Amino acid sequence: MTLSEYFELLWSDYTLRTITLGTAVLGAICGMLGSFAVLRKQSLLGDAISHAALPGIALAFLITGAKDTNVLLLGALVSGLIGTFWIRGMTQKTHLKSDTALGLILSLFFGFGMLLLTFIQKQPNANQAGLDKYLFGQAATLVEKDVTLMVVVTSICLIVLLLFWKEFKILLFDADYTKTLGFNTKFIDILITFFIVLAIVLGLQTVGVVLMSAMLLAPAAAARQWTNNLSVMILLAAIFGAFSGVVGTAISASENNLSTGPVIVLVAAVFVLFSFVFSPGRGLLFREIRFRQNRRDLQLQKTLQFMYGIAKDHEDISHPHAIRILNNFQGFTKGTLRKLEEKEWISIQGQEWAMTDKGFSEAKNLYNQQLKND
């Protein structure tokens, strides 16, 4: 199946439509909530929570003996929340750093989850097949009720986000100031964390435990490169996440033996890479262009100041001087002379240059400004 055939079948094929809608909604909610994780410098939290959810899935299956998606995800939610509060407790009541606590919970819960999965696989229960899909995800198992659940959760997140927008925004950038205003910072922090855990749990079926943190962080990291405005960042992150889901699903469906979850993450990584290189404000390309432009401007100013030092010793500032006297100046190039002439700071006749009134005034301002800085 080609990409064009995929998009043609999208409106008529139930399975393709369900999977695409599900991955798009998942990408959007992960982008929105991932923005808070990125801005709060809790990028590793997503990785820890996704791994902490695994034993919850296994225990939910052992207790119920059935592979009901809602029950398994509920177990993952409880396990993820327990892991999250353990991390908070370890950082607040011990001298451990947050990265140490995250690493401990991640490895502990994931190891326990793998142990439970191994135990389940050795049990004489036919229902156990397919539990390992939560490790790497299997988007093909999405059904309409799963997508409906995602849409409902996304809608609730949007409503809560709008209701507590001011509180979330203040807490993100100045937690101490939030306390002085009388807001319950603990409640707001728990509310944000709860929705982040909820988004991660929803994505386990599609992307899996191992890759879920990338789905949470990649759209937000890409959006951060394009804006300094929180609302714009959240909107861009949701768009990047949704596009990653749709394009990743399309590529996976058009090729054989390509898992949807990893492809979605790779598409999101392309958005990140593109943003890191081409975003106007922070992109590497534009940063290099600005650096080169600043270096050229500095070279131009230094050459002008050197000429000013020569011209100011004459009563007539427009007195011509030989170009060769500039040869010993380190910043001098033929290109510099050409730019100075284009700016009408100097005039060139043959092998001689002369400073104009405009150039003399500009050089004098630069000279006085330098004296003030010194």
Side-chain angles (χ1 to χ4, degrees), residues 44-109:
L44 284 176
L45 181 64
D47 204 20
I49 294 172
S50 60
H51 284 74
L54 185 61
I57 295 171
L59 286 173
F61 175 78
L62 286 173
I63 293 171
T64 61
K67 288 191 304 180
D68 183 84
T69 302
N70 292 334
V71 174
L72 296 182
L73 291 183
L74 180 61
L77 178 62
V78 173
S79 181
L81 288 173
I82 292 173
T84 303
F85 289 114
W86 277 20
I87 293 170
R88 289 170 57 89
M90 291 173 68
T91 54
Q92 291 175 359
K93 300 185 179 183
T94 68
H95 295 291
L96 292 176
K97 299 288 186 180
S98 59
D99 57 343
T100 305
L102 287 166
L104 285 173
I105 295 300
L106 185 153
S107 55
L108 174 64
F109 274 68

Side-chain angles (χ1 to χ4, degrees), residues 2 10 37 62 69 75 79 93 98 101 131 143 155 179-180 245 258 261 267:
T2 63
L10 185 60
L62 286 173
T69 302
S79 181
K93 300 185 179 183
S98 59
L131 278 181
V143 294
S155 301
K179 291 180 181 179
T180 62
L258 281 182
V267 173

